[in-house]
Amino acid sequence: MNEMKQDIENRIALYALISRLMMIEVDEKFLEQIESDEALLELFPNYRDWARRKEMSRKDLIEQYYNVDFTNLFLMHLVPYESFYTRDDQMVESGGDNPVIELYNDLDFRVELETARVVSADHIGVELEFMYMLCNAQKKALEADDKEGVCELLEVQRAFLKEHLLEWAPMFLINAKRESRTPLYHDGSELTLEFLLSDFEYVNAKLNEHCATQSSEA
């Protein structure tokens, strides 16, 4: 139980980090969060060792490099929306026919598009935030010793990773890593891809380990 609690806290922290990185431009507070935590900084090795980071202020780096890179990757050259990759016409579906939005509604996850500054709720940053929400819910179920609730949430996480994020995000992230102009987004894209793949394996393992017996007994 203690091991799973530590695991879920680590997962919550990582989903919070990568969803924030992919959603909107970084600010000085976000960079401080990474740079003040050695464990987090280890996840961004090229960013950590980038000489320019030590030569310029965070404010100047944001204005001259990070904002430009974010605009190129998320607003101009690449399309960070699931429906673009899954629809035959490569159109972004922002209406009620989007299956991701239906799932959000079923689980009472609300997305303020204007606040998030996205045109559709199937944006990679929003989908990562949805996983963050599911992990938080799992933590609450774990603390309440609700084994059935933990298993149900793991099932939802596995399905969402398999049927949504892993269906398209790897393509976007591989392109983002290749097109990135700063170590921050290069490392961030690689970290997100590697974490999603490993997290899917983790969720599968925990379902087999903790939930298979329970379901058979039921």
Side-chain angles (χ1 to χ4, degrees):
M1 185 69 74
N2 287 336
E3 179 184 353
M4 183 178 277
K5 184 177 180 181
Q6 184 60 57
D7 288 344
I8 194 64
E9 288 176 352
N10 291 339
R11 295 177 66 219
I12 288 170
L14 273 170
Y15 273 117
L17 177 74
I18 59 180
S19 63
R20 169 64 182 83
L21 180 66
M22 300 280 159
M23 186 86 73
I24 58 173
E25 297 91 336
V26 298
D27 55 22
E28 294 187 51
K29 181 180 178 181
F30 179 78
L31 297 178
E32 169 65 23
Q33 176 188 353
I34 295 175
E35 294 174 13
S36 62
D37 187 324
E38 285 297 324
L40 282 183
L41 198 55
E42 286 293 317
L43 301 175
F44 294 82
N46 294 292
Y47 171 77
R48 177 195 61 204
D49 299 335
W50 191 30
R52 192 160 283 140
R53 185 174 67 84
K54 301 168 185 176
E55 298 167 355
M56 300 176 63
S57 69
R58 288 188 187 129
K59 182 175 183 294
D60 288 341
L61 285 170
I62 289 169
E63 293 176 354
Q64 297 178 34
Y65 291 94
Y66 303 143
N67 285 353
V68 174
D69 209 10
F70 181 90
T71 299
N72 285 331
L73 295 175
F74 293 90
L75 301 176
M76 293 182 64
H77 294 151
L78 302 180
V79 184
Y81 295 92
E82 177 180 339
S83 47
F84 173 81
Y85 292 85
T86 56
R87 283 175 55 123
D88 292 336
D89 58 7
Q90 292 189 313
M91 295 291 288
V92 175
E93 173 58 71
S94 59
D97 291 336
N98 191 318
V100 174
I101 297 175
E102 293 179 16
L103 178 60
Y104 291 166
N105 290 337
D106 289 343
L107 295 174
D108 201 28
F109 178 68
R110 297 290 178 260
V111 182
E112 298 292 338
L113 298 182
E114 290 187 8
T115 303
R117 292 171 52 209
V118 299
V119 299
S120 174
D122 63 352
H123 184 280
I124 188 170
V126 178
E127 293 197 2
L128 292 170
E129 186 178 348
F130 180 62
M131 283 297 297
Y132 166 80
M133 182 274 287
L134 292 174
C135 289
N136 262 318
Q138 182 189 335
K139 180 182 177 183
K140 292 178 182 177
L142 192 65
E143 291 172 343
D145 199 26
D146 180 2
K147 296 182 176 62
E148 183 178 345
V150 168
C151 291
E152 288 177 357
L153 286 159
L154 284 170
E155 287 283 7
V156 174
Q157 291 168 35
R158 176 168 67 179
F160 190 71
L161 285 166
K162 181 179 180 181
E163 298 169 14
H164 295 283
L165 270 167
L166 291 179
E167 275 291 301
W168 72 278
M171 290 180 283
F172 170 78
L173 293 166
I174 289 169
N175 287 331
K177 178 182 174 182
R178 184 175 62 239
E179 298 292 331
S180 61
R181 301 179 184 180
T182 63
L184 176 65
Y185 287 103
H186 176 279
D187 289 352
S189 299
E190 184 171 52
L191 168 64
T192 303
L193 177 56
E194 291 179 354
F195 174 63
L196 289 176
L197 294 172
S198 66
D199 198 49
F200 181 65
E201 292 182 3
Y202 170 84
V203 170
N204 268 320
K206 290 303 174 186
L207 276 168
N208 293 331
E209 180 182 343
H210 293 281
C211 303
T213 304
Q214 181 174 319
S215 60
S216 64
E217 289 175 350

